[in-house]
């Protein structure tokens, strides 16, 4: 599938361009913030060719596409206005709260910088090696030029964070960059370096070194974006375009230097000191915990909370002793994927595990985790064990990171410091983590998909004949009692247009949804307003109670099923209070959609007027019977 086609499929399946509040990407994932998660078709996305996995973490709807993520991201920009900051967007959804909200903010701010940060980190690491072994002298102009290329991102990091934070909080990114520029302006730097007593209208200013810092500018831009919205609402349209920036600069630059700057630096240093103390207390234990848990943190998106700490350590101390142990976790999952490749007899899985192993060696573990180790379960556990062993070795060796970058083969130079101290321990740790994980995966084994293939091949020809006959047509019995309504009359364009699939609608008179046939529940929405069932012969039916009822957040609904449940025709799946839903201002007309309509030649309604539960509602025909005649 071409990147343009994949981009189009993704935008469509996340609910369309209008459902996207924002989009950023990291090394392997498209990270959407959606206005309504219920409009995204997670099940179809996961089945789409070119998509490895779909995850919902930290308020983000994450589509894992692997190494081709920059191309897909760019293609989305070409076929839509999603990446256009100037495009008119609808009011964004309410932000996530608590830990999920914090993770969403951090990931949105740092994800766009990870690629260039890794590249700059590799270059910085190579320069460290070159200078340590005498290939380049630090006094040479060649070294100076290359070091400027490697270090400029980190030195001017507040400027880049100003841009990504302003995008996240919908503030003016140029004002944000100007505030960041003031923090590292030469005359301010000179005041700090010379120790000049500084005040602002008599208020003492505690000057800090703000180059490479993280927290001060993020705090400043968050507050700036709130003030900007206030001034834009308050000031007249004829003056707000230049008066608002004026007020923001006059207020925010002094306020940042007086409050946010010192506070942010102290907080960042405090968190970093705490983690450093943990490694100082027991580097072996701390390394083992980090090595075992890093990929678990990545899966849940919690690792974003530690990335600013790594960057802060390098900025403040010139080195970081926490991050190296996480490298063991990367190579452990790589080893687990390699073990799967060696053991499996399934050709497709062997190919996937082999390509995922190669990708993971360079720090991109999502294909290995979501495509291989996690679905097979035991290999992932083997990776956690291998990561703990390797992390313990690296922690005990006292390995340090001297630049930022995602751990992988190419970024190993960032761990090579003066005299190479701790670097041999890193190499030993990642080798051990890889080997232990691969061996454990091979010994522990896993349910090889090849077993299912053999079982399928042993099915008798008579059973296959019955299966083929059943697949040619399908009877769908009414899941609801009520009055038949034409699908085109449903007050929701997504259903009325047939974009979701062919089908029919019912205005319910009884608030019960039952199974339309024997099958399996494939989707049970958390808001309880909708569900999907697939029949034993492959018909996929979506029942969506009412229009926009997702906004009720589960009120007036009682679900009796969960995803994966086996159901028989007529089994009770869902109950809902018709009167309460209507009182809340929502339509109760219920679309019943054949989401895989394209698999059938005809979707033929079989009922008109009043229909009772379990009466024949739709007949699906693939046309196979006609061909046989």
């Amino acid at each position: 599938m071409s990147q343009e086609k994949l981009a189009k499929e993704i935008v469509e399946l996340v609910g369309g361009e209008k459902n996207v509040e924002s989009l950023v990407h990291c090394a392997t994932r498209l990270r959407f913030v959606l206005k309504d998660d219920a409009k995204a078709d997670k099940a179809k996305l996961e089945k789409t060719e070119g998509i490895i996995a779909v995850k919902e973490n930290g308020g983000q709807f994450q589509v894992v596409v692997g190494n081709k993520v920059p191309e897909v991201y760019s293609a989305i920009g070409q076929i839509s206005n999603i990446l256009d900051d100037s495009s008119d967007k609808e009011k964004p959804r309410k932000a996530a709260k608590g830990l999920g909200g914090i993770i969403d903010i951090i990931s949105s701010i740092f994800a766009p910088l990870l690629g260039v940060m890794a590249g700059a980190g590799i270059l910085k690491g190579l320069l460290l090696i070159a200078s340590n072994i005498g290939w380049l002298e630090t006094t040479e102009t060649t070294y100076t030029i290359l070091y400027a290329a490697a270090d400029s991102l980190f030195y001017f990091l507040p400027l880049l964070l100003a841009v990504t934070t302003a995008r996240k909080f919908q503030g003016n990114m140029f004002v944000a960059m100007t505030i960041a520029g003031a923090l590292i302006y030469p005359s301010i730097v000179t005041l700090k370096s010379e120790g000049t007593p500084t005040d602002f209208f008599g208020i003492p200013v505690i000057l800090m070194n703000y180059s490479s810092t993280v927290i001060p500018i993020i705090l400043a831009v968050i507050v700036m974006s709130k003030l900007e919205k206030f001034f834009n609402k308050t000031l007249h349209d004829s003056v707000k375009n230049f008066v608002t920036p004026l007020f923001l600069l006059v207020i925010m630059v002094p306020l940042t230097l007086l409050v946010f700057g010192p506070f942010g630096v102290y907080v960042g240093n405090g968190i970093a000191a705490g983690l450093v103390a943990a490694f100082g207390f027991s580097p072996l234990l701390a390394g083992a915990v980090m090595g075992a848990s890093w990929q678990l943190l990545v899966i849940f998106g919690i690792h974003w909370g530690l990335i600013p700490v790594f960057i802060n350590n390098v900025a403040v101390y010139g080195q970081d002793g926490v991050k190296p142990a996480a490298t063991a976790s990367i190579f452990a999952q790589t080893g687990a994927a390699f073990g799967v490749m060696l053991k499996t007899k399934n050709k497709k899985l062997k190919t996937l595990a082999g390509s995922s192993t190669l990708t993971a060696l360079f720090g991109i573990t999502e294909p290995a985790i979501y495509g291989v180790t996690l679905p097979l379960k035991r290999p992932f556990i083997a990776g956690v064990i291998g990561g703990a062993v390797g992390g313990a070795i690296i922690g005990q060796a006292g390995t340090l990171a001297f630049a930022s970058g995602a751990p992988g083969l190419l970024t190993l130079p960032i761990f090579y410091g003066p005299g190479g101290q701790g670097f041999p321990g890193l190499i030993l740790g990642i080798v051990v983590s890889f080997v232990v994980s691969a061996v454990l995966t091979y010994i522990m084994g896993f349910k090889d998909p090849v077993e299912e293939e053999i079982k399928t091949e042993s099915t008798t020809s008579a059973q296959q004949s019955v299966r083929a006959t059943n697949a040619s047509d399908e009877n769908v019995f009414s899941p609801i009692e009520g009055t038949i309504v034409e699908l085109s009359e449903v007050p929701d364009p997504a259903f009325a247009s047939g974009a979701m699939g062919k089908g029919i609608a019912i205005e319910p008179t009884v608030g019960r949804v039952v199974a339309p046939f024997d099958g399996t529940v494939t989707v049970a929405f958390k808001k309880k307003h909708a569900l999907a069932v697939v029949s034993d012969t492959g018909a996929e039916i979506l029942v969506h109670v009412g229009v926009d009822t997702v906004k009720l957040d589960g009120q007036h609904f009682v679900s009796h099923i969960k995803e994966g449940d086996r159901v028989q025709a007529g089994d009770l799946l869902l109950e809902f209070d018709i009167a309460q839903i209507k009182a809340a201002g929502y339509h109760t007309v219920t679309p019943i959609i054949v989401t895989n309509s394209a698999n059938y030649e005809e979707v033929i309604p079989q009922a008109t007027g009043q229909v009772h539960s379990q009466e024949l509602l739709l007949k699906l025909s693939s046309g196979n019977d006609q061909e046989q005649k």
Side-chain angles (χ1 to χ4, degrees):
M1 182 183 294
S2 68
Q3 311 305 355
E4 292 75 16
K5 186 176 180 182
L6 179 58
K8 186 176 180 180
E9 290 272 346
I10 291 172
V11 171
E12 213 171 277
L13 292 174
V14 297
E17 182 176 339
K18 290 185 178 180
N19 193 41
V20 179
E21 179 185 331
S22 65
L23 170 64
V24 295
H25 76 83
C26 57
T28 59
R29 308 183 192 194
L30 295 167
R31 296 175 176 269
F32 290 91
V33 175
L34 303 179
K35 292 167 183 164
D36 184 354
D37 288 346
K39 290 184 178 179
D41 194 333
K42 184 177 178 181
K44 278 193 176 180
L45 274 167
E46 289 178 325
K47 294 177 183 177
T48 300
E49 180 186 348
I51 294 177
I52 298 168
V54 179
K55 301 292 173 183
E56 294 180 71
N57 288 325
Q60 293 183 336
F61 191 87
Q62 303 172 10
V63 182
V64 185
V65 296
N67 292 337
K68 58 179 180 267
V69 68
E71 291 82 3
V72 178
Y73 178 83
S74 177
I76 289 175
Q78 292 172 8
I79 65 168
S80 71
N81 293 317
I82 291 174
L83 306 184
D84 184 1
D85 287 321
S86 64
S87 63
D88 294 329
K89 294 183 181 285
E90 297 176 9
K91 185 178 179 181
R93 72 174 185 177
K94 191 175 181 181
K97 294 181 179 180
L99 180 60
I102 295 171
I103 291 170
D104 173 36
I105 291 170
I106 295 174
S107 61
S108 297
I109 291 171
F110 284 94
L113 303 178
L114 293 184
V116 65
M117 193 174 284
I122 292 169
L123 179 56
K124 203 169 186 180
L126 292 173
L127 287 173
L128 283 171
I129 293 174
S131 62
N132 285 335
I133 63 179
W135 286 356
L136 271 178
E137 294 294 332
T138 56
T139 54
E140 293 182 50
T141 53
T142 299
Y143 179 91
T144 301
I145 292 171
L146 290 175
Y147 192 81
D151 194 53
S152 63
L153 177 143
F154 303 101
Y155 185 86
F156 295 107
L157 187 59
L159 287 167
L160 300 175
L161 292 176
V163 173
T164 56
T165 307
R167 284 195 65 179
K168 173 62 181 173
F169 288 91
Q170 299 178 327
N172 187 316
M173 66 178 66
F174 299 106
V175 176
M177 289 178 68
T178 304
I179 294 171
L183 299 181
I184 54 178
Y185 194 71
S187 59
I188 299 295
V189 173
T190 300
L191 288 175
K192 163 64 177 171
S193 61
E194 293 180 353
T196 305
T198 306
D199 68 86
F200 182 74
F201 288 115
I203 304 174
V205 176
I206 303 173
L207 290 175
M208 300 282 181
N209 181 10
Y210 293 110
S211 63
S212 304
T213 55
V214 172
I215 299 177
I217 190 59
I218 292 176
L219 294 175
V221 174
I222 291 173
V223 174
M224 181 214 81
S225 67
K226 306 296 182 184
L227 284 176
E228 181 183 357
K229 290 178 177 64
F230 169 76
F231 287 131
N232 282 339
K233 288 181 180 178
T234 305
L235 297 172
H236 193 272
D237 289 346
S238 62
V239 298
K240 70 180 182 182
N241 285 342
F242 53 88
V243 175
T244 294
L246 169 65
F247 284 172
L248 292 177
L249 292 175
V250 170
I251 294 172
M252 290 309 306
V253 172
L255 189 61
T256 303
L257 290 172
L258 286 166
V259 180
F260 300 134
F263 175 78
V265 170
Y266 289 141
V267 169
N269 291 351
I271 295 172
L275 287 172
V276 170
F279 272 81
F281 174 74
S282 176
L284 188 144
L285 178 60
V289 171
M290 179 64 73
S293 64
W294 181 252
Q295 288 301 320
L296 290 168
L297 299 180
V298 170
I299 289 172
F300 292 103
I302 302 173
H303 69 299
W304 286 105
L306 291 175
I307 287 176
V309 177
F310 299 158
I311 296 172
N312 187 80
N313 281 346
V314 173
V316 175
Y317 305 112
Q319 60 191 34
D320 170 56
V322 181
K323 181 179 182 176
T327 309
S329 184
I330 303 291
F331 284 89
Q333 290 300 324
T334 307
F338 183 70
V340 171
M341 184 192 74
L342 293 179
K343 190 174 184 66
T344 183
K345 293 181 174 61
N346 183 299
K347 292 181 180 179
K348 184 176 180 181
L349 180 57
K350 188 179 286 289
T351 300
L352 176 61
S355 62
S356 298
T357 299
L358 184 61
T359 304
L361 283 171
F362 295 96
I364 310 300
T365 56
E366 276 88 345
I369 293 174
Y370 296 125
V372 181
T373 64
L374 196 56
L376 296 174
K377 298 182 179 63
R378 288 181 184 175
F380 184 80
I381 295 171
V384 170
I385 296 171
V389 176
I393 294 171
I394 293 171
Q396 189 63 38
T399 307
L400 300 172
F402 298 91
S404 297
L409 280 181
L410 288 178
T411 54
L412 290 182
I414 70 175
F415 302 103
Y416 190 95
Q421 183 179 358
F423 192 72
L426 175 79
I427 301 301
L428 177 61
I430 62 177
V431 169
V432 169
S433 63
F434 182 94
V435 172
V436 168
S437 300
V439 171
L440 281 178
T441 297
Y442 199 90
I443 293 173
M444 292 166 61
F446 46 87
K447 186 178 180 182
D448 198 336
V450 72
E451 297 171 7
E452 296 178 8
E453 292 178 6
I454 293 171
K455 192 179 292 183
T456 301
E457 290 170 4
S458 67
T459 306
T460 66
S461 58
Q463 288 173 313
Q464 291 172 348
S465 176
V466 170
R467 188 180 293 117
T469 302
N470 290 340
S472 66
D473 54 57
E474 178 77 59
N475 290 331
V476 179
F477 298 94
S478 181
I480 291 179
E481 182 170 331
T483 305
I484 296 293
V485 177
E486 290 292 330
L487 196 60
S488 59
E489 296 177 16
V490 174
D492 185 327
F495 294 111
S497 65
M500 299 287 289
K502 297 178 183 178
I504 203 164
I506 297 176
E507 181 63 58
T509 54
V510 178
R512 289 165 54 90
V513 178
V514 300
F517 39 53
D518 295 350
T520 303
V521 177
T522 55
V523 180
F525 287 92
K526 293 179 181 178
K527 304 298 177 69
K528 306 175 186 177
H529 66 294
L531 56 89
V533 185
V534 61
S535 75
D536 293 338
T537 55
E540 299 172 2
I541 299 296
L542 169 69
V543 180
H544 192 289
V545 178
V547 176
D548 288 335
T549 47
V550 64
K551 296 176 182 177
L552 290 171
D553 201 27
Q555 292 184 63
H556 317 312
F557 291 92
V558 177
S559 177
H560 296 280
I561 44 89
K562 62 182 182 297
E563 290 181 10
D565 278 357
R566 179 80 192 147
V567 295
Q568 303 294 319
D571 284 354
L572 179 61
L573 308 181
L574 180 69
E575 291 181 288
F576 56 97
D577 191 320
I578 298 173
Q580 291 288 351
I581 293 173
K582 287 183 175 179
Y586 296 92
H587 293 283
T588 55
V589 61
T590 299
I592 298 158
I593 305 296
V594 183
T595 54
N596 62 338
S597 301
N599 292 357
Y600 298 92
E601 186 174 284
E602 292 183 288
V603 176
I604 310 166
Q606 299 293 304
T608 57
Q610 289 296 119
V611 64
H612 294 286
S613 176
Q614 285 298 285
E615 282 188 17
L616 184 60
L617 183 68
L618 298 169
K619 182 177 281 291
L620 315 183
S621 174
S622 65
N624 287 344
D625 292 340
Q626 294 177 0
E627 291 173 10
Q628 290 168 0
K629 292 177 183 178

